[in-house]
Amino acid sequence: MDTRQNENELHLLGSSTQYKQDYAPEVLEAFTNKHQDNDYWVQFNCPEFTSLCPITGQPDFATIHIDYIPDIKMVESKSLKLYLFSFRNHGAFHEDCVNIIMKDLIRLMDPKYIEITGIFTPRGGISIYPYCNYGRPGTKYEELAEKRLFNHKIQ
């Protein structure tokens, strides 16, 4: 595959970084997967995720784990970083954050399989670790999603 094709798909990589002040799914960019004939895992870990409690406005901190099996498109990492940083001033509950992230990435890439885990730091003596996943309907990835969801445990 011609690497110039992938380079033309990306606009943020190599340019100066501008951080959004609120939730910004429009910054997400994708490029063409060069190994569409393989099933393989891609994992991103964001240990400095921050959002705001929608009730109190207090900051919530988390490590966000994103795992997916790509198909045709893959998320570009700088755009993902800017997207995740855009939650810093956004009010959303922990469970909302992981589901919003997953749905935005599904819209962007249409992966075969994806799962998102949020490991949020305790507030008020309680830790919350929301998990969500998706497998393409009617495929073995849908079966994988169901199996992983019902057998899910935080390590």
Side-chain angles (χ1 to χ4, degrees):
M1 175 177 275
D2 185 351
T3 57
R4 291 176 299 206
Q5 179 186 0
N6 279 338
E7 292 168 1
N8 291 336
E9 297 175 70
L10 306 175
H11 304 286
L12 294 172
L13 194 60
S15 65
S16 64
T17 303
Q18 295 184 8
Y19 295 97
K20 299 291 184 176
Q21 293 303 306
D22 200 0
Y23 169 68
E26 68 276 6
V27 302
L28 286 169
E29 293 186 342
F31 62 93
T32 303
N33 176 8
K34 293 182 181 181
H35 305 282
Q36 296 171 32
D37 54 332
N38 294 350
D39 277 348
Y40 61 98
W41 286 95
V42 176
Q43 182 178 68
F44 290 100
N45 294 312
C46 178
E48 299 175 346
F49 181 84
T50 307
S51 62
L52 298 177
C53 172
I55 305 300
T56 66
Q58 294 289 318
D60 289 314
F61 302 94
T63 296
I64 300 292
H65 298 285
I66 300 168
D67 296 277
Y68 73 99
I69 300 173
D71 190 6
I72 296 169
K73 294 290 184 183
M74 300 178 71
V75 65
E76 190 278 316
S77 61
K78 181 178 181 180
S79 76
L80 179 63
K81 175 182 76 169
L82 293 174
Y83 166 74
L84 292 172
F85 285 174
S86 79
F87 279 83
R88 288 184 182 216
N89 294 316
H90 181 70
F93 291 116
H94 304 343
E95 299 85 354
D96 293 333
C97 289
V98 298
N99 279 280
I100 290 167
I101 292 166
M102 182 183 73
K103 289 175 182 177
D104 286 342
L105 291 173
I106 290 169
R107 272 191 290 280
L108 177 73
M109 300 183 294
D110 188 24
K112 295 174 182 175
Y113 175 83
I114 189 167
E115 62 186 36
I116 313 292
T117 306
I119 309 295
F120 284 82
T121 57
R123 282 222 290 115
I126 296 177
S127 298
I128 301 174
Y129 299 160
Y131 169 86
C132 60
N133 73 2
Y134 160 87
R136 187 173 290 152
T139 69
K140 64 183 178 183
Y141 308 104
E142 182 177 39
E143 295 171 20
L144 172 65
E146 184 175 303
K147 187 174 195 174
R148 288 182 66 89
L149 179 65
F150 292 123
N151 292 299
H152 181 72
K153 292 183 181 153
I154 298 293
Q155 268 65 51

